Amino acid sequence: MTTLAHVSDLHFGRPAVSERLDALRGFLDGVGPDAIAVSGDLTQRCTNREFTQARAYLDSLGEIAPRLVIPGNHDIRWIGAVARNLGFVGLLREQAHILKYSRYRKYISDDLSPSLEVPGAVIAGVNTAHGISRGSLTRRFRDLGVIGHVKHADIERVRAAFEAADPAAARIVMIHHNPIRGELSGRHGLANTEQALHAFSDLGTELILCGHDHQDAVHTIEKGAHGLVISTAGTISNRIKPGRASSFNLVHTDADNLRIVAHSWKKGEGFVPSEDRTFPRHTLSRPT
Ligand SMILES: [Fe+2]
Ligand SMILES: [Fe+2]
């Protein structure tokens, strides 16, 4: 049995609640997961101070288990994102691109789409946060720069990570933006949802981990011959939807099943199990 902790939207800065962050770390320390996956939005305003705090916290999680982290839309610098994508050319354009991810790279990692294999599971992280860019254009003005997309090069990275992994390992993709419309927000996180889900499915992905919507949810979706499970982790911060609680998910996988247990924050009790779903794995129908 492999156990993964899936945590999202820490939002260091004003929304961060140290009581919940401490409780989460204590909880994970007790569980002893095989890996901790953090699906972006480490900061609220992408400041040096917030990144310093996020890095220290991630390092403390790293003492519990290997961790895999990707950026969210709050972790990129707006000025770089705008300059990069609104018509600058040549060197300036390149500089702007470097600026966009400069703080994430400085404090967290140079690798924006890292992957991690542990016994029983391979997780391919995909950066979907590109700011205002051609691939993320949307008719909804308020979604500009918030919505994400999956780049072709990253799909090839997922392919390489899966091909290099143990064939029996559960194939998992982690992105920041939710590909399923949020129940309360009514919003998709990705601009190229259909295309991305088909591509991931064709690579034999069994589970997609995401965040961004700040509401925990577990969905299944049928793409081609393969069932795809989508697990959205809520936020640990106080940027929660009305009537919802801070939450994270535990993923348990063995040769037969994939089980997702959401844990929600209850005042006075800490994080307690709130939803428990089990799905049969589809390893036999994996493409060759
Ligand atoms: Fe967020
Ligand atoms: Fe986000």
Side-chain angles (χ1 to χ4, degrees):
M1 167 82 80
T2 303
T3 297
L4 311 171
H6 173 209
V7 176
S8 201
D9 296 76
L10 302 173
H11 285 291
F12 275 92
R14 265 202 186 166
V17 184
S18 54
E19 184 190 15
R20 291 176 212 169
L21 289 162
D22 292 347
L24 172 66
R25 183 170 43 212
F27 187 97
L28 295 182
D29 204 18
V31 169
D34 295 282
I36 300 173
V38 184
S39 52
D41 277 359
L42 310 175
T43 66
Q44 177 63 15
R45 295 186 178 278
C46 195
T47 64
N48 287 301
R49 186 187 163 86
E50 291 171 356
F51 267 119
T52 304
Q53 294 170 341
R55 176 58 193 255
Y57 187 75
L58 291 173
D59 283 350
S60 71
L61 293 186
E63 288 171 16
I64 298 170
R67 58 172 167 79
L68 185 72
V69 185
I70 55 169
N73 53 301
H74 280 255
D75 303 322
I76 65 174
R77 300 181 76 181
W78 282 82
I79 185 162
V82 171
R84 166 80 171 86
N85 297 302
L86 294 186
F88 285 90
V89 287
L91 191 61
L92 256 184
R93 206 174 140 85
E94 209 40 56
Q95 291 299 324
H97 180 68
I98 291 167
L99 182 67
K100 184 160 75 162
Y101 298 109
S102 58
R103 290 204 175 134
Y104 184 88
R105 284 199 153 112
K106 179 178 176 190
Y107 291 98
I108 308 299
S109 172
D110 219 17
D111 193 349
L112 304 175
S113 297
S115 57
L116 174 70
E117 184 179 5
V118 293
V122 53
I123 314 169
V126 169
N127 172 30
T128 53
H130 307 289
I132 300 173
S133 65
R134 230 179 307 151
S136 303
L137 282 181
T138 164
R139 285 195 205 119
R140 293 178 61 152
F141 186 73
R142 60 194 285 254
D143 284 350
L144 268 182
V146 174
I147 208 156
H149 70 279
V150 175
K151 289 190 169 176
H152 179 72
D154 279 317
I155 289 170
E156 292 309 309
R157 276 193 196 104
V158 174
R159 185 193 305 279
F162 285 177
E163 282 176 2
D166 178 348
R171 294 184 170 192
I172 301 170
V173 167
M174 177 166 75
I175 54 181
H176 174 63
H177 293 83
N178 55 304
I180 298 286
R181 197 182 291 276
E183 188 195 329
L184 293 173
S185 67
R187 296 157 90 188
H188 270 107
L190 280 180
N192 58 346
T193 305
E194 283 298 308
Q195 205 187 352
L197 291 182
H198 271 100
F200 293 145
S201 174
D202 288 347
L203 295 174
T205 305
E206 298 165 62
L207 171 67
I208 292 180
L209 307 176
C210 64
H212 183 65
D213 197 46
H214 293 202
Q215 183 189 349
D216 55 294
V218 182
H219 295 95
T220 51
I221 193 163
E222 289 297 326
K223 292 282 161 191
H226 312 287
L228 207 52
V229 180
I230 299 178
S231 166
T232 311
T235 176
I236 303 301
S237 75
N238 65 12
R239 282 174 62 95
I240 41 178
K241 298 269 186 317
R244 307 293 295 199
S246 288
S247 65
F248 69 93
N249 295 345
L250 286 184
V251 176
H252 306 285
T253 176
D254 60 19
D256 302 315
N257 293 307
L258 201 60
R259 180 178 167 212
I260 298 162
V261 187
H263 288 70
S264 299
W265 176 255
K266 269 199 174 164
K267 193 126 190 80
E269 292 181 49
F271 285 103
V272 293
S274 52
E275 190 182 358
D276 191 334
R277 306 270 306 270
T278 299
F279 305 91
R281 286 186 59 199
H282 295 264
T283 45
L284 291 177
S285 57
R286 180 175 292 171
T288 51

